[in-house]
Amino acid sequence: MYYLAGEYDVIVVGAGHAGCEAALAAARMKCKTLLFTLNMENIALTPCNPSIGGPAKGHLVREIDAMGGQMGINIDKTHIQIRLLNTGKGPAVHALRAQVDKKLYQQEMTKTVQSQENLDVKQAIVDKILVENYKVVGVVTKTGAKFLGKAVILTTGTYLRGKIIIGDVHFPGGTNGQYASMSLVDSIKENGYDIRRFKTGTPARVDYRSIDFSKTEKQPGDDGPLAFSFLTDKFDRPNIPCWLTYTNELTHQVVRDNLHRSPLYSGVIEGVGARYCPSLEDKVVKFPDKTAHQLFLEPEGMNTYEYYVQGMSSSLPEEVQFAFLRTIKGLEHVEIMRPGYAIEYDCIDPTQMKATLESKCIEGLFTAGQINGTSGYEEAAAQGLMAGINAVLKIREKDPLILTRSDGYIGVLIDDLITKGTHEPYRMLTSRAEYRLLLRQDNADLRLTEYGREVGLVDDFRYRYFCKKREKINETLEKLKVNVVTPQNNKLTALLQKRASSAIKSGVSLYDLLKRPEINYEDISSLSDEDLTLNYQEEEQVEVQVKYQGYINKQMEQVKRFNKLEQKQLPENLDYSLIKGLRTEAKQKLNKIRPASIGQASRISGVSPADISVLLIYLEQQRRRHIQTEEEEKSE
């Protein structure tokens, strides 16, 4: 028997990174929202790597922030080190990465969600999704409490039938010793979802007092004014270093000698693991020519002795983990505080979702995060934000917010999932984005803040801040175009000599001068009689826009061509098996994915350019028939 425990607009199941962003978005958009967590002490838990960001992942965090999400703000309040990566390359792949204090991050996010207006947070295990006439109406908890909702967002992470595996030992459980959700997956299956089994893993946590840091290489963070949130203006966080060391042949021999005890190779593990985060066993087996692998020793926080051994994920027995760890420089006498383990979990086939992250089968049911087959905190948070936004827009019967591949990495992520699917844990990479030069981390607010404002997620303070920045950048660009310096300018002559830059023969604008790779914004601002002072964000944006103008214009032309195909809409209920000229594989794939546009159809594996031509001809025929029908009706 169930009892009615409450009624809400939006119900979010799971309070990890996806769940927190989804719940906060819905509540901030003025919907009555309920957030369920398995354990109130583990809201926004970072159970694996104590870092957030990196290539592509850092771009996602900045996009979340630009649209009014919380992750970037939370990182800036709680990190213990921050770095800008790939500075030797172009701005398209520059990426922030921060080490977070795990406990502080959790505490800050817990305070945020618990204090958010329109948001209730409850600890409970959700066992069942309530559906009537293919429409979600609520959920039921293990204690029999029934909560009614107009939309439900599942953000269950790795907890669906989670199984912890350490050598020969395995037992039901979620990450970090949490409960697993064992019954909810049955309800998900009943509602038409295809279920897959994935695997992830984590390395041992070791006691820093047992590490000889003198044998490792120091990896400090940067001291500059770096932040994930565009609103952050204080940069007084600690700079606690990480440390670099390496595996060696002795390490690899210990692993090889114990492969028969590895659940990864003995058949105990059935789930598919992450390609881009292999276990130590996988590295030794798949890269036999490598004599060493990098390992980073990363602090888990300021008030703990635990260090994370990045690069050494393993599910080998605990005593084997001791053995191979103690072969490594600096870890000869290491003590393990928590052993590494693998975790298997259930997830869905993401091609069963619409671009809004709503189910194609059940109206009002959304999914976000690792349940969709992704890996990583950042990918989860990005999906959570979009699911929360679109759940509210669905309830209000408004047009959904769908970011395209040219809008942001969030658009690339979701389009990849719903169009291509994934047969292994999906990780965001810069190489997945066709328009990397447009989708830089530095301009995420210029690309996406207006979207956040339109849906009601960007508040007045953030929007005023954004508009002021945008106006300042545009004004400065115009000033640079009209501000001309001549060869007689002594400051200019001295600057060009200092920068080993060729002399000018006639007057040149500061705009054109800044295009030179050896000249920076600080240089050209010193040549002007006007005050061209900008903050670090504005200065970066002006410099990138000027120096890469030609490349940016070329990518904008590519986007225009891309958008032409995206604007050619395909009917939602089109039966592709009836279209003559399509190959059998294309018919099957198109009927399964049901793309929204010709552009999306062109990205489906198994759909060839010839199939796209057939679809374009079909659409044109349908358009002409529609015009002919209208003309006949008018003549009657």
Side-chain angles (χ1 to χ4, degrees):
M1 291 292 293
Y2 307 147
Y3 74 93
L4 183 59
E7 297 185 33
Y8 291 85
D9 295 315
V10 178
I11 297 173
V12 181
V13 181
H17 304 282
C20 287
E21 293 293 349
L24 287 170
R28 289 168 177 172
M29 290 171 71
K30 313 300 183 188
C31 273
K32 185 181 180 184
T33 307
L34 172 60
L35 175 63
F36 280 112
T37 177
L38 288 170
N39 189 331
M40 200 70 75
E41 307 304 317
N42 287 298
I43 291 172
L45 178 69
T46 51
C48 197
N49 198 329
S51 72
I52 292 177
K57 289 172 173 281
H59 291 68
L60 287 173
V61 178
R62 297 215 94 194
E63 291 180 357
I64 291 165
D65 180 75
M67 295 180 67
Q70 191 64 29
M71 180 176 260
I73 294 171
N74 211 43
I75 298 168
D76 292 345
K77 289 181 179 180
T78 61
H79 70 71
I80 57 178
Q81 183 200 106
I82 190 166
R83 298 177 68 187
L84 183 62
L85 306 180
N86 296 332
T87 53
K89 300 178 181 179
V93 292
H94 290 178
L96 285 171
R97 183 180 187 272
Q99 298 292 137
V100 297
D101 185 307
K102 286 193 168 190
K103 290 296 182 184
L104 281 180
Y105 187 91
Q106 285 178 250
Q107 291 167 8
E108 187 64 33
M109 192 64 87
T110 300
K111 181 175 72 174
T112 301
V113 296
Q114 289 184 350
S115 62
Q116 175 62 49
E117 186 180 359
N118 301 318
L119 178 57
D120 291 342
V121 186
K122 295 184 184 294
Q123 179 174 303
I125 297 176
V126 174
D127 270 359
K128 187 175 179 62
I129 306 163
L130 297 176
V131 175
E132 295 178 2
N133 297 321
Y134 300 102
K135 184 174 182 179
V136 75
V137 295
V139 299
V140 176
T141 70
K142 186 173 284 295
T143 58
K146 179 170 72 172
F147 293 87
L148 300 181
K150 299 172 185 175
V152 172
I153 306 173
L154 301 179
T155 61
T156 51
T158 60
Y159 291 87
L160 281 181
R161 284 203 313 127
K163 181 168 74 171
I164 300 295
I165 305 167
I166 308 172
D168 298 326
V169 179
H170 50 88
F171 50 87
T175 54
N176 235 33
Q178 300 304 303
Y179 291 113
S181 175
M182 304 305 290
S183 301
L184 181 58
V185 71
D186 295 328
S187 184
I188 294 172
K189 285 181 181 178
E190 289 170 5
N191 286 294
Y193 280 104
D194 293 329
I195 302 298
R196 293 176 173 173
R197 191 78 169 159
F198 280 0
K199 182 224 69 154
T200 187
T202 191
R205 272 58 159 193
V206 300
D207 191 328
Y208 96 95
R209 294 167 295 187
S210 64
I211 301 172
D212 185 349
F213 291 104
S214 67
K215 297 181 179 179
T216 65
E217 301 172 32
K218 191 175 183 179
Q219 303 285 305
D222 294 338
D223 292 321
L226 300 175
F228 276 97
S229 176
F230 290 96
L231 296 180
T232 297
D233 57 5
K234 294 181 180 178
F235 307 96
D236 54 358
R237 294 294 305 161
N239 187 351
I240 298 175
C242 297
W243 304 85
L244 174 64
T245 187
Y246 297 86
T247 65
N248 52 60
E249 269 302 326
L250 185 55
T251 316
H252 301 173
Q253 191 58 50
V254 172
V255 173
R256 283 192 288 265
D257 290 344
N258 288 277
L259 278 178
H260 64 286
R261 304 185 66 191
S262 167
L264 193 62
Y265 290 94
S266 66
V268 172
I269 291 178
E270 300 171 358
V272 181
R275 179 187 301 269
Y276 301 101
C277 190
S279 66
L280 181 59
E281 299 95 289
D282 263 343
K283 290 178 182 179
V284 170
V285 171
K286 296 178 179 178
F287 307 101
D289 56 319
K290 295 273 286 187
T291 58
H293 296 282
Q294 282 188 336
L295 301 174
F296 290 93
L297 306 176
E298 302 175 340
E300 296 233 319
M302 294 184 292
N303 298 305
T304 179
Y305 292 136
E306 287 186 278
Y307 266 60
Y308 181 96
V309 189
Q310 166 68 13
M312 210 166 212
S313 171
S314 178
S315 57
L316 280 163
E318 192 170 346
E319 66 270 24
V320 180
Q321 294 184 40
F322 263 112
F324 65 60
L325 280 167
R326 289 181 174 179
T327 65
I328 295 164
K329 279 188 177 182
L331 303 181
E332 292 88 349
H333 304 288
V334 77
E335 291 293 337
I336 293 177
M337 299 182 78
R338 306 189 204 201
Y341 60 85
I343 179 169
E344 284 190 332
Y345 57 96
D346 286 344
C347 57
I348 69 165
D349 176 356
T351 62
Q352 298 166 105
M353 303 182 300
K354 300 177 182 179
T356 59
L357 300 181
E358 184 184 15
S359 166
K360 292 178 179 177
C361 315
I362 307 298
E363 187 179 353
L365 180 59
F366 295 76
T367 52
Q370 285 183 277
I371 189 175
N372 288 340
T374 59
S375 66
Y377 314 135
E378 305 87 351
E379 290 90 341
Q383 292 171 71
L385 178 76
M386 297 308 295
I389 290 171
N390 280 312
V392 174
L393 296 176
K394 170 82 177 181
I395 290 169
R396 292 177 178 165
E397 299 182 346
K398 292 187 175 182
D399 291 338
L401 176 60
I402 298 172
L403 300 180
T404 69
R405 299 181 73 89
S406 60
D407 287 324
Y409 274 82
I410 295 176
V412 175
L413 166 66
I414 294 175
D415 184 69
D416 276 356
L417 291 174
I418 67 169
T419 304
K420 301 174 183 177
T422 183
H423 297 285
E424 60 190 34
Y426 176 101
R427 179 177 181 173
M428 194 70 244
L429 304 168
T430 52
S431 59
R432 297 189 191 276
E434 305 93 315
Y435 311 112
R436 289 187 290 281
L437 191 53
L438 299 182
L439 308 184
R440 306 182 309 276
Q441 59 140 24
D442 60 82
N443 70 350
D445 56 340
L446 298 177
R447 290 185 281 114
L448 297 175
T449 296
E450 287 288 0
Y451 288 118
R453 181 65 173 178
E454 286 173 15
V455 299
L457 196 51
V458 168
D459 61 21
D460 291 342
F461 173 78
R462 177 183 283 272
Y463 193 62
R464 284 195 299 270
Y465 187 92
F466 162 73
C467 289
K468 183 179 178 182
K469 173 186 173 180
R470 183 173 59 183
E471 184 179 344
K472 185 77 171 176
I473 291 167
N474 291 335
E475 286 178 354
T476 301
L477 288 170
E478 291 305 312
K479 287 179 180 178
L480 295 182
K481 290 176 181 178
V482 299
N483 201 322
V484 176
V485 287
T486 65
Q488 292 74 36
N489 187 307
N490 292 331
K491 282 186 180 180
L492 174 62
T493 302
L495 172 64
L496 295 178
Q497 290 175 349
K498 180 181 177 182
R499 297 292 184 224
S501 187
S502 59
I504 63 171
K505 296 180 181 179
S506 59
V508 62
S509 71
L510 295 182
Y511 188 95
D512 288 332
L513 195 62
L514 184 55
K515 289 180 180 180
R516 298 188 177 193
E518 65 274 14
I519 303 294
N520 60 41
Y521 183 81
E522 188 177 341
D523 292 333
I524 57 113
S525 62
S526 68
L527 299 175
S528 176
D529 293 331
E530 289 187 77
D531 182 10
L532 296 179
T533 303
L534 301 175
N535 65 33
Y536 80 99
Q537 288 187 30
E538 296 160 348
E539 186 175 307
E540 176 185 39
Q541 195 54 227
V542 167
E543 191 162 329
V544 170
Q545 287 192 32
V546 173
K547 288 186 181 299
Y548 294 89
Q549 179 190 20
Y551 298 105
I552 290 171
N553 289 342
K554 285 181 181 179
Q555 287 224 322
M556 291 299 294
E557 288 301 316
Q558 292 172 356
V559 169
K560 286 180 182 178
R561 292 194 294 271
F562 163 81
N563 285 337
K564 286 182 180 179
L565 291 180
E566 296 301 308
Q567 289 163 6
K568 292 185 181 296
Q569 299 295 304
L570 289 165
E572 188 174 346
N573 298 317
L574 179 59
D575 186 349
Y576 294 92
S577 63
L578 301 178
I579 299 179
K580 294 179 181 180
L582 286 177
R583 295 173 309 110
T584 301
E585 182 184 6
K587 290 177 179 180
Q588 292 171 347
K589 296 287 181 67
L590 290 164
N591 274 326
K592 179 185 177 183
I593 304 299
R594 300 212 162 276
S597 67
I598 291 289
Q600 187 185 356
S602 69
R603 295 188 293 276
I604 298 174
S605 174
V607 177
S608 71
D611 296 317
I612 296 301
S613 296
V614 171
L615 288 177
L616 287 170
I617 292 169
Y618 173 83
L619 287 181
E620 179 61 21
Q621 289 173 341
Q622 295 300 109
R623 185 185 71 82
R624 290 179 180 179
R625 284 174 188 163
H626 180 71
I627 292 172
Q628 183 178 353
T629 301
E630 285 187 337
E631 290 176 349
E632 289 173 353
E633 289 176 350
K634 287 179 181 177
S635 64
E636 291 176 359

